[in-house]
Amino acid sequence: MKIKEIQEEIVDEFSMFDDWMQRYEYMIELGKSLPMIDEEYKTDDNIIKGCQSKVWVHAELDGDKLVFTADSDAIITKGIIAILIRAFSNQKPQDIIDADTDFIDEIGLKEHLSPTRANGLVSMIKQLKLYAIAYQTQLKN
């Protein structure tokens, strides 16, 4: 599936819920299904700077696709990174670089997060894109 299709699927799923309490519960559920990062990657190098909670993200190439794993010490944050990983994992680095993140606004996520969590969300997106840039450079060499 292409990134845009996954993002549309996520928007559709969130639109099924009537209120934000249900959406938060859904995000917590998504966090529980997150592809877990190996303990060996829970290092300071893999912590996303700019997040109030601890969020670890690891990326590696599988063929020409980038695969992300992650974890967080906070349940809502774990749900947020789960949404991002669902959209961007198993995609080509260039597609991740080119992808927009309008779906975040479409589900209303940013406006329902505290300012520190919203900043953390932006940091998570930035980090995933930085990984994509780094791996895209490797693919070209």
Side-chain angles (χ1 to χ4, degrees):
M1 255 169 101
K2 289 189 172 3
I3 292 173
K4 193 77 187 147
E5 294 169 336
I6 297 168
Q7 291 175 343
E8 287 167 5
E9 199 176 80
I10 293 168
V11 170
D12 287 346
E13 288 167 13
F14 272 82
S15 69
M16 291 188 298
F17 300 106
D18 297 330
D19 63 39
W20 265 94
M21 283 317 296
Q22 292 174 324
R23 290 178 181 170
Y24 282 130
E25 286 171 23
Y26 183 60
M27 283 171 44
I28 291 166
E29 286 305 308
L30 290 174
K32 290 176 183 171
S33 66
L34 184 67
M36 288 303 284
I37 192 169
D38 286 336
E39 286 298 317
E40 67 182 289
Y41 299 122
K42 279 189 170 183
T43 63
D44 286 346
D45 289 344
N46 289 333
I47 284 186
I48 295 181
K49 312 287 183 266
C51 284
Q52 186 178 13
S53 317
K54 284 190 172 159
V55 182
W56 298 270
V57 174
H58 174 69
E60 60 189 10
L61 271 181
D62 182 9
D64 64 346
K65 305 249 171 103
L66 202 49
V67 177
F68 293 104
T69 54
D71 196 9
S72 174
D73 60 356
I75 54 172
I76 295 287
T77 308
K78 202 175 199 172
I80 295 168
I81 194 67
I83 291 168
L84 296 175
I85 284 182
R86 181 167 154 201
F88 296 126
S89 196
N90 295 303
Q91 301 291 334
K92 292 180 177 171
Q94 191 60 55
D95 294 341
I96 297 168
I97 296 164
D98 295 340
D100 67 43
T101 53
D102 295 346
F103 80 107
I104 297 291
D105 296 328
E106 285 181 51
I107 60 177
L109 189 54
K110 228 182 258 177
E111 66 202 50
H112 286 89
L113 294 175
S114 66
T116 51
R117 279 218 178 101
N119 288 342
L121 169 64
V122 171
S123 297
M124 288 181 219
I125 293 168
K126 196 182 296 179
Q127 187 60 50
L128 295 180
K129 291 208 175 232
L130 284 172
Y131 275 125
I133 291 166
Y135 281 102
Q136 182 61 30
T137 306
Q138 279 184 22
L139 284 173
K140 286 182 177 173
N141 293 340

